Amino acid sequence: MIYDAVVIGGGPGGYVAAIRIAQLGGKVAVVEKDQLGGTCLNRGCIPTKSLIAAVDKLGIISEATEFGINVSKPVIDFSKVQGRKAEIVEKLVGGIKYLFNKNKINHFNGNAKIKTANLIEVKVGAEVQEIKCKNIIIATGSSPALIQSLGYNGSTIITSEEVLNLTEVPKSLLIIGAGVIGCEFAHIYGSLGTEITMVEAASSILALQDKDISRRMQTIFKKKKIIIKTNASIKKINSTKEGIVAELESGEMISTEKALISIGRRLNTQNLGLEENGVELGNKGQILVNDYMETNIKGIYAVGDVVSKYQLAHVASIQGIVAAENIMGQESKMDYSAVPSCIFTNPEVATVGLTEQQVKQMGIPVKTGKFNFMANGKALCMGESEGFVKVVTHQETDVILGVHIIGPHASDLIAEATLAVKKGLTAKELVTTIHAHPTLAEAIMEAAENVHGLSIHG
Ligand code: FAD
C-alpha cells in the first residue's frame, strides 16, 4: 500500500494532521515511538493542568471561610492527585485511539526515519518495517533542554518530565528558568507547600510578556513567599545527601531538596534522516517551512515544535491542519496574525497580539487602556479580583494590536480578544458590542473604553 501521507509523531501537530487527511479521504499512517498525544497529553499541557486544577481547588477550600463556609484544614492526598492526573491522561490518549479507529488511520508504534521523500523506515525493537508514501509530515516535537553544568540526574536535578511524576511533595524546590513552564510549576508546588526559589537570567520572570504583566506576576509570586532571583544564573549544581546545592555566578549558594531545570526546549530533529534528504534547518536547528508548512523538499512537511514558530499545542494543531489540507490538494496557508497564549498560574495570564513595548519598538504610535478586576462585579463576587486587562491599540486608527490579561479565567477571556485582533477590530467596535452583566468579559470592554478615557467603572 502507498499512503497519501505518513505522519511522524502523534502529538497535537501529528494526530490532528492525520485526522484531517483521513477526513478529506486520504490514506494516512502515524508513526509514534511513545504514547499517542505527544508531549501535550502525556508530559505537558494536560498533566500540568490536572495538577493545577487540584491546587486551585485547594485554594478555593482554604479561602472558604471568607465566603461564610467553615471547613476544617484540607489534607492533600498527593498520590490521589497524581492518580487523577494519570486517569485523565489515559482517557484522552484512549480518545485519540478511538478517533484513529473511527477515521481508519493506521498507527505504527515505533521509531521512524526518513529514507527518501517517499519511504519511511520504522524500527520496532529489532524489527524494521518500510512504509511507502506520497507525502511526509514531520511532527516530532521537542524535549526539555539541558546544559551539562546543571548536572541533570533525573532524581534530585530534574526536568518538567520528572517533576510531573513526583510521588511526594518536595520540601523545597529550586526552579531554574522563570518562563511559562517554570512559573506553572512554581504555582503547582508553591500551592502544595513547597518552598520555591526561582533563578532567572533575564531581568524579570515571564520576560517575554508585556512588562505590566510580568511585573504584576512577580509581585503576586513574592506575596506568596516565592523567592525570585532575577539577573542571576547558575554556575554549577552539586547533589548532596539532603538534595542539591546550587552555586550562582554571584557566589551565592542555594540548598534545596530538588532542582527543576526549565530553561527551554530542544527540538527533536536528530536521527530523522533530515541531513541525508537535504531538509533545510534554520540557525536554531528548527525545520524551515513555507506558509503551507512544506519544507524545501517537495512532499516533506513539518509542523509543531520542530518548526519552532511558537511552541504551543494549538499552533501545532493548526499547522497540522494546514499541512494536511495542502497534501489533499486544498490550498491552505498559515496565518499567525492572532496567536493566543496562556499561562495557568493563579491568577492566569493570557495574551494575544503585540505588547506595548513591541509596538513602540516598531515605531507605531500606541495608546493603551487598562481595567482592574478590582472594579469588576463578577470578579469581586468570585473573590478573585487580582489583576487587570490591558488593551494595546494603534493611536491613530484605534485598531486593537494586542490584549494582555492577568486575572481570573484569563485563558477563557482571551478568545474574544483573539477574534478582535484577528479581525482588526477597533477599540470602539469592541465597546459598542454589548457585554453581558455581571461577567468577567466586561473587564475587556472597560479596558477598551479606557483607551478613550471613557471607562465607566475605571
Ligand atoms: P509533541 O507533542 O512533542 O509530540 C511529538 C511526538 O513525536 C512525541 O510523542 C514523540 O514521542 C514523537 N516522536 C519524536 N521522534 C519520533 C520518531 N523518530 N519516530 C516516531 N515518533 C517520534 N502548550 C500549550 O499550548 N498549552 C499549554 O498549557 C502547554 N503546557 C505545557 C506544559 C509543559 C510542562 C510542557 C513541556 C509543554 C507545554 N505546552 C503547552 C507545549 C506543548 O506541549 C507543545 O507545544 C506541543 O506538545 C507540541 O506538539 P507537537 O505535535 O509539535 O510535538
Side-chain angles (χ1 to χ4, degrees):
M1 137 132 67
I2 300 178
Y3 288 97
D4 289 299
V6 171
V7 183
I8 309 177
Y15 87 77
V16 169
I19 292 174
R20 179 53 54 89
I21 290 171
Q23 285 172 334
L24 296 176
K27 279 182 288 180
V28 58
V30 173
V31 187
E32 169 55 61
K33 65 178 179 183
D34 195 345
Q35 286 286 334
L36 288 176
T39 304
C40 176
L41 245 69
N42 298 287
R43 301 174 291 281
C45 326
I46 298 299
T48 47
K49 270 80 248 180
S50 159
L51 295 181
I52 287 168
V55 300
D56 285 348
K57 284 269 185 291
L58 184 65
I60 291 169
I61 297 165
S62 308
E63 287 159 11
T65 44
E66 281 175 33
F67 290 76
I69 302 161
N70 294 326
V71 287
S72 48
K73 194 171 181 290
V75 178
I76 302 155
D77 180 344
F78 195 52
S79 68
K80 216 162 169 181
V81 171
Q82 289 287 32
R84 178 177 177 274
K85 180 199 77 184
E87 272 171 32
I88 293 168
V89 169
E90 200 184 315
K91 205 177 263 177
L92 289 171
V93 171
I96 299 179
K97 286 181 186 155
Y98 163 80
L99 290 173
F100 274 22
N101 282 336
K102 185 179 142 196
N103 288 289
K104 302 193 173 39
I105 297 167
N106 281 352
H107 170 209
F108 292 81
N109 193 202
N111 200 318
K113 188 167 178 176
I114 301 169
K115 297 302 279 182
T116 72
N118 303 108
L119 192 69
I120 302 272
E121 180 187 271
V122 181
K123 261 194 202 146
V124 187
E127 205 184 302
V128 179
Q129 248 177 300
E130 286 190 338
I131 319 176
K132 290 185 185 143
C133 56
K134 294 180 191 157
N135 297 278
I136 294 168
I137 301 180
I138 305 165
T140 47
S142 65
S143 311
L146 292 171
I147 300 177
Q148 203 159 17
S149 61
L150 297 180
Y152 167 80
N153 60 19
S155 58
T156 52
I157 305 171
I158 56 182
T159 66
S160 60
E161 303 202 344
E162 294 88 7
V163 80
L164 271 172
N165 295 319
L166 295 178
T167 50
E168 279 172 31
V169 176
K171 236 180 100 33
S172 52
L173 178 67
L174 168 65
I175 300 181
I176 305 158
V180 175
I181 292 176
C183 284
E184 288 192 355
F185 283 113
H187 167 45
I188 294 170
Y189 283 100
S191 304
L192 290 168
T194 302
E195 288 164 22
I196 307 281
T197 305
M198 303 186 87
V199 172
E200 168 58 53
S203 58
S204 74
I205 67 167
L206 298 176
L208 300 178
Q209 298 294 318
D210 189 277
K211 291 278 166 283
D212 287 347
I213 298 272
S214 50
R215 254 185 247 127
R216 178 64 70 92
M217 187 52 86
Q218 196 147 319
T219 308
I220 291 168
F221 269 11
K222 281 186 176 165
K223 258 198 245 163
K224 294 184 180 186
K225 309 238 169 342
I226 291 173
I227 299 166
I228 298 171
K229 295 180 186 293
T230 49
N231 295 313
S233 43
I234 306 275
K235 192 169 174 191
K236 63 172 194 275
I237 306 187
N238 290 322
S239 288
T240 63
K241 255 206 260 157
E242 294 78 33
I244 64 102
V245 178
E247 183 183 349
L248 303 193
E249 290 292 351
S250 64
E252 187 183 349
M253 309 293 270
I254 299 172
S255 303
T256 51
E257 190 179 320
K258 289 189 190 293
L260 165 65
I261 305 170
S262 57
I263 54 169
R265 308 278 300 168
R266 178 178 57 81
L267 310 181
N268 295 334
T269 51
Q270 305 78 25
N271 306 320
L272 271 177
L274 300 182
E275 300 79 10
E276 295 89 321
N277 285 284
V279 175
E280 221 181 310
L281 302 182
N283 55 5
K284 291 185 216 136
Q286 78 277 26
I287 301 178
L288 296 179
V289 288
N290 58 20
D291 288 346
Y292 307 94
M293 303 314 298
E294 196 170 19
T295 66
N296 60 314
I297 306 295
K298 198 168 163 30
I300 301 186
Y301 293 75
V303 304
D305 282 8
V306 278
V307 304
S308 207
K309 192 89 183 148
Y310 292 86
Q311 294 190 333
L312 291 168
H314 43 283
V315 175
S317 296
I318 285 284
Q319 291 172 334
I321 287 172
V322 166
E325 291 180 347
N326 284 305
I327 285 172
M328 294 309 292
Q330 298 187 349
E331 190 179 313
S332 184
K333 215 173 158 182
M334 267 314 292
D335 171 5
Y336 297 104
S337 58
V339 176
S341 76
C342 305
I343 308 171
F344 295 82
T345 41
N346 191 352
E348 292 181 348
V349 171
T351 150
V352 65
L354 299 171
T355 64
E356 182 182 356
Q357 297 77 40
Q358 284 170 330
V359 176
K360 280 184 179 157
Q361 269 166 18
M362 291 160 87
I364 298 170
V366 63
K367 207 157 176 219
T368 63
K370 229 183 195 183
F371 188 78
N372 283 310
F373 281 105
M374 201 63 119
N376 175 273
K378 179 80 180 280
L380 277 175
C381 293
M382 291 163 61
E384 296 181 47
S385 55
E386 175 82 71
F388 57 82
V389 177
K390 178 173 175 180
V391 173
V392 178
T393 62
H394 191 300
Q395 189 173 24
E396 286 150 15
T397 63
D398 198 39
V399 167
I400 299 170
L401 302 173
V403 177
H404 307 274
I405 308 173
I406 178 166
H409 295 276
S411 63
D412 297 311
L413 292 175
I414 204 67
E416 175 186 6
T418 305
L419 198 60
V421 172
K422 163 108 181 167
K423 291 293 168 196
L425 297 189
T426 61
K428 181 85 180 158
E429 282 169 321
L430 198 143
V431 301
T432 50
T433 305
I434 299 174
H435 286 67
H437 176 74
T439 59
L440 297 171
E442 287 173 292
I444 300 183
M445 177 185 70
E446 296 253 24
E449 289 267 34
N450 199 28
V451 170
H452 313 118
L454 291 172
S455 161
I456 299 289
H457 302 96

